[in-house]
Amino acid sequence: MVFSHSFFTSRSTMGYSSSVTAVVAVLLFGSSFTSTDAYDALDPNGNITIKWDVIQWAPDGYVAVVTMYNFQQYRHIQAPGWTLGWTWAKSEVIWSMVGAQATEQGDCSKFKGNIPHCCKKDPTVVDLLPGTPYNQQIANCCKGGVINSWVQDPAGALSSFQISVGKSGSTNRTVRVPKNFTLKAPGPGYTCGPAKVVKSSRFLTGDGRRTTQALMTWNVTCTYSQFLSQKTPTCCVSLSAFYNETIVPCPTCTCGCQNNITQPGSCVEGDSPYLQQAITNTGKNNYAPLVQCTNHMCPVRIHWHVKLNYKEYWRVKITITNFNYRMNYTQWNLVVQHPNFDNLTQIFSFNYKSLTPYGPAINDTAMLWGVKFYNDLLMEAGPFGNVQSELLFKKDASFTFKQGWGLPRRVYFNGDNCVMPPPDSYPWLPNSSPHLKMTKLPLAMFCLTTIALLLSLF
């Protein structure tokens, strides 16, 4: 049972030959596996689906509403937002757009009078910014390309725009679906499949008494791969526990190494007099990370501390620290895997949802995110660049502090897998500390001292 409280969040109810065979299998199939394949074990069905609904035929084309649905449970698209591209199947042009815009117009010199919005064979489209005039908006547009994750904000997990296409044909038989779709969010990472014509979408009118239908619909599915997104990790995990004075830091050079000699500006010291100048001197890329100089050089660190041990419960403190001076993480989230999440009793100042990627029988994965208007914004590096919470677990039959059991198995920040320290560096229990017995060495010393004292009296 999870107790509710202000700033507390209730949890949701809910042999040799074989080795040879494995090696042969890897050799046989390794060549067919590419880095474009994307699969997330904790969100196996997560994807972004782009739906094109033709809602009206035009004399030389059609008008369609394009909607991007983020069906990923914990991965979202943050600023500067999504960029969508494709290649036209014929010689189509974009006459106009509402709720988005093409980044380049292209060569429209063949047109007299009305000039299309974009004449490129391979247009690139971006969302409009907040504050766009209402006559240039449609529903679910104009958020600067930001799309929230499905679990955190289902209503904000989509983005739409309207597009008027010409020179495409104006019937189901003459229209050809675009190809070679690309999605950047904001950089690489997503791989999109081909457009597939599906059953036409149906829409319910505002009064709920009439249903209309799209004239034609096709879907594009895009999946994420962290290997395509970043060349280096973006976060790391450090560990500590009350029963061991050792603090296990993030592995050295997890996300890169300090290299200000050959690469000036790769990091900046927190007390540097040139800090403000380095932050504002962004050049063309305002979102390029500028991290604080650390041994790990990661933009984000997650620290897991086993804090207290009670008779029937145990407590953990989680701290997320931002070392990036150019990024505020809005709508951040954390996914943690630990076998005791099935007995999570209370969580302080974070929202919580149980994820069950392996079926409802195994509840060992939790998604955590900030409370709106309280700590849902992880500020840039500095004195306010951290958020923290504590988790209270009820002990079960499998509970132990031995062999690092109380430490997380896997940690994700904003959908990216964070680097854990090597297991042999974990904080281990001292000898006999689980039972709080007197160790043998002090006892032996006490006995020897007592004997020596008695002998000296005679």
Side-chain angles (χ1 to χ4, degrees):
M1 178 178 180
V2 176
F3 304 99
S4 61
H5 192 279
S6 65
F7 293 139
F8 293 2
T9 303
S10 298
R11 60 178 277 234
S12 303
T13 55
M14 10 227 142
Y16 175 74
S17 60
S18 61
S19 299
V20 172
T21 303
V23 171
V24 172
V26 170
L27 292 175
L28 287 174
F29 296 103
S31 60
S32 64
F33 181 86
T34 65
S35 61
T36 57
D37 294 324
Y39 176 76
D40 187 347
L42 300 186
D43 190 12
N45 300 315
N47 67 78
I48 289 182
T49 298
I50 305 168
K51 181 184 288 291
W52 288 57
D53 290 311
V54 177
I55 58 173
Q56 181 182 336
W57 297 120
D60 68 336
Y62 59 87
V63 177
V65 173
V66 181
T67 305
M68 302 169 58
Y69 296 93
N70 185 8
F71 292 122
Q72 299 171 113
Q73 294 193 86
Y74 48 79
R75 186 173 292 109
H76 61 268
I77 299 177
Q78 60 189 18
W82 56 262
T83 300
L84 181 65
W86 63 85
T87 301
W88 292 117
K90 299 193 292 186
S91 57
E92 294 91 336
V93 296
I94 302 175
W95 282 114
S96 63
M97 299 187 73
V98 180
Q101 63 184 1
T103 57
E104 295 183 47
Q105 184 180 36
D107 184 6
C108 297
S109 59
K110 296 180 181 179
F111 292 85
K112 310 297 180 183
N114 291 334
I115 305 299
H117 176 78
C118 178
C119 300
K120 287 180 65 69
K121 179 74 173 178
D122 54 347
T124 300
V125 173
V126 295
D127 194 13
L128 296 182
L129 298 174
T132 297
Y134 289 110
N135 60 350
Q136 299 177 29
Q137 295 187 28
I138 67 166
N140 301 310
C141 83
C142 312
K143 297 180 287 186
V146 174
I147 304 179
N148 293 329
S149 66
W150 187 258
V151 168
Q152 283 179 266
D153 183 14
L158 72 164
S159 181
S160 300
F161 62 88
Q162 182 176 296
I163 183 171
S164 178
V165 181
K167 301 181 67 177
S168 63
S170 55
T171 67
N172 295 55
R173 294 183 178 182
T174 57
V175 168
R176 297 290 180 265
V177 299
K179 55 187 179 180
N180 301 331
F181 278 86
T182 61
L183 175 63
K184 295 183 179 181
Y190 285 91
T191 301
C192 300
K196 296 181 180 180
V197 178
V198 296
K199 185 177 179 180
S200 296
S201 301
R202 297 166 67 88
F203 310 99
L204 195 64
T205 58
D207 59 7
R209 303 175 64 187
R210 172 177 164 81
T211 300
T212 59
Q213 182 172 310
L215 304 176
M216 186 178 181
T217 298
W218 58 85
N219 287 348
V220 179
T221 301
C222 303
T223 54
Y224 179 83
S225 169
Q226 186 174 349
F227 299 103
L228 291 177
S229 180
Q230 298 105 9
K231 295 180 180 180
T232 60
T234 58
C235 55
C236 64
V237 180
S238 58
L239 306 167
S240 62
F242 70 90
Y243 51 76
N244 194 311
E245 62 182 11
T246 302
I247 298 177
V248 181
C250 292
T252 302
C253 295
T254 300
C255 303
C257 295
Q258 294 187 35
N259 196 13
N260 274 331
I261 297 177
T262 59
Q263 287 183 313
S266 60
C267 69
V268 60
E269 298 288 350
D271 57 355
S272 171
Y274 306 104
L275 175 60
Q276 193 58 41
Q277 180 182 352
I279 295 173
T280 56
N281 187 20
T282 58
K284 294 182 179 180
N285 190 352
N286 295 333
Y287 294 92
L290 177 64
V291 299
Q292 181 178 324
C293 294
T294 59
N295 290 333
H296 54 79
M297 291 291 288
C298 289
V300 174
R301 182 191 67 195
I302 294 90
H303 185 75
W304 176 283
H305 175 63
V306 181
K307 186 176 181 179
L308 292 170
N309 182 28
Y310 305 106
K311 182 178 181 180
E312 297 182 357
Y313 300 90
W314 63 291
R315 185 186 291 260
V316 167
K317 181 177 180 178
I318 296 178
T319 304
I320 308 172
T321 305
N322 185 5
F323 291 97
N324 189 351
Y325 286 102
R326 290 182 182 152
M327 175 66 76
N328 293 327
Y329 293 94
T330 59
Q331 294 289 327
W332 62 267
N333 64 66
L334 195 69
V335 174
V336 184
Q337 201 169 31
H338 189 280
N340 209 200
F341 268 115
D342 194 35
N343 291 305
L344 179 64
T345 303
Q346 196 173 67
I347 181 168
F348 303 78
S349 70
F350 281 4
N351 288 304
Y352 162 84
K353 185 182 187 304
S354 171
L355 304 180
T356 53
Y358 311 114
I362 303 177
N363 180 17
D364 66 350
T365 308
M367 178 174 171
L368 312 172
W369 68 97
V371 177
K372 194 171 184 179
F373 304 128
Y374 177 60
N375 59 358
D376 59 336
L377 173 64
L378 176 58
M379 296 292 290
E380 63 190 22
F384 303 105
N386 68 87
V387 291
Q388 51 190 309
S389 178
E390 295 192 5
L391 289 71
L392 186 67
F393 296 93
K394 184 176 178 63
K395 297 179 180 178
D396 58 13
S398 64
F399 171 80
T400 179
F401 281 137
K402 294 180 179 180
Q403 299 178 343
W405 185 90
L407 305 175
R409 307 303 187 261
R410 194 183 304 184
V411 177
Y412 285 64
F413 178 78
N414 277 359
D416 285 338
N417 197 359
C418 301
V419 178
M420 297 281 295
D424 59 357
S425 68
Y426 283 8
W428 298 99
L429 277 170
N431 291 336
S432 304
S433 65
H435 304 289
L436 300 178
K437 294 180 179 179
M438 185 181 293
T439 61
K440 294 181 179 179
L441 182 60
L443 181 61
M445 293 296 294
F446 175 76
C447 293
L448 290 173
T449 304
T450 302
I451 294 172
L453 181 61
L454 291 174
L455 290 174
S456 65
L457 296 176
F458 296 95

